[in-house]
Structure formats: C-alpha cells, structure tokens
Amino acid sequence: MFDTISAHKLEDTTTFNLYLPDGRTPATVPAGEDSEGNPKRQQMTMTVRRLSSGPMQRFVNRGKNKSITGLQKQQRAKRKLEVSAESIEEQAVDLLVFSIVAWEGFTSNGEPVPCTEENVRALIADEKFIWIRDQVDTHVGDDTLYDLGNSSTS
C-alpha cells in the first residue's frame, strides 16, 4: 500500500553541545594541556532520548498508568481527587532523568562525574543548573534535532 513512499526513521538519541545560560558561550571544562603546555578545554555534551522514541513512550505510559492507578484508588476510597504541583514536577524530573543516556565533560574537583541515574537526578534537580535542564528539555522534545535515517520500504 505504501511501497512508493520512502520511510524515514528518526534516530532515538541525539548528542548536543551544552551552552552557558547566555546561549552563545559553549560550556567547557579544563582538559589538561596541549603539547606546548597551553590549557585545553573540553566541550560539555549530553546524549538524550527523543520524546517520541519507543523507550521514552513506554516510560511516559508507565508514569501515566501509575497516576491513573493513584487517582482510581482515591476515587474508590471516596476521597477528593488530588494532584499536586510537586507530583507533576516529580514526574517531569523523572522524565528528564530517564531521557539522559550519556554525558561528557562533567567534572567535580577536576575528576570526571559518571553519568549515573543518581548523578543525573542531582543535576536536574539542582536549581543552579536550570540552564542545563532547559537545554535537555528542548532537545528531548524537538524531533527536528534528531538525525533522519532513510530506509525504503518494499
């Protein structure tokens, strides 16, 4: 039925360079010295999942199911249905944490910080790094930032 249409599949992840809050200055960290003794800097990068990717959609659906189950329990107990701003924020943080699959250039006291769920959660929840959270949110939700792979249907 659709054999004349070329199917396009977006990549599930994208890696992007982080920029400081001004949006123009690359976020970099010291990275030793070059062969002439000049200081080098490394660009900070993140790899995130696309919101419309399969893994992200399954994660979102699990969160929705959990919310629905909680509301159903409240309803069965004949309690007033309550959804708090805090629970909505928690779900947003969970989504962003799940979306980040790798990073480079994150250091603490000159040592690399591994991209673990615990470290990602601490970064996303820290108000000092809202500028990183905003960039992650933008890249997760914008399909135009992902590479397009061609695969023809037969």
Side-chain angles (χ1 to χ4, degrees):
M1 178 173 173
F2 296 107
D3 55 331
T4 59
I5 297 174
S6 176
H8 297 283
K9 181 187 182 309
L10 291 174
E11 296 298 323
D12 282 347
T13 62
T14 190
T15 300
F16 64 95
N17 294 332
L18 287 168
Y19 286 85
L20 296 179
D22 68 11
R24 294 182 304 278
T25 308
T28 61
V29 294
E33 297 178 344
D34 64 19
S35 60
E36 298 173 3
N38 299 315
K40 294 191 315 184
R41 304 215 37 103
Q42 176 184 357
Q43 174 75 51
M44 296 174 70
T45 64
M46 279 204 168
T47 301
V48 296
R49 290 180 174 102
R50 174 173 53 87
L51 183 59
S52 57
S53 70
M56 286 290 280
Q57 286 303 299
R58 287 187 291 278
F59 182 84
V60 167
N61 287 339
R62 284 193 303 269
K64 288 177 184 176
N65 288 337
K66 183 178 173 184
S67 294
I68 290 167
T69 300
L71 290 172
Q72 287 171 335
K73 285 180 182 177
Q74 288 178 25
Q75 190 175 30
R76 281 194 299 274
K78 300 200 186 305
R79 293 191 319 235
K80 180 180 172 189
L81 298 180
E82 295 180 19
V83 177
S84 68
E86 292 80 11
S87 69
I88 293 170
E89 175 64 14
E90 184 179 315
Q91 287 178 347
V93 167
D94 288 347
L95 180 67
L96 291 177
V97 168
F98 182 75
S99 74
I100 298 171
V101 296
W103 66 30
E104 287 189 34
F106 285 78
T107 61
S108 178
N109 299 320
E111 295 297 317
V113 175
C115 183
T116 64
E117 182 178 346
E118 179 182 6
N119 290 339
V120 170
R121 187 170 298 284
L123 178 79
I124 293 298
D126 191 330
E127 289 184 17
K128 292 183 302 211
F129 299 111
I130 192 73
W131 58 277
I132 293 176
R133 179 179 172 163
D134 289 346
Q135 291 175 61
V136 170
D137 192 33
T138 296
H139 281 80
V140 166
D142 189 347
D143 279 350
T144 65
L145 301 174
Y146 292 78
D147 288 334
L148 193 63
N150 284 332
S151 63
S152 57
T153 56
S154 352

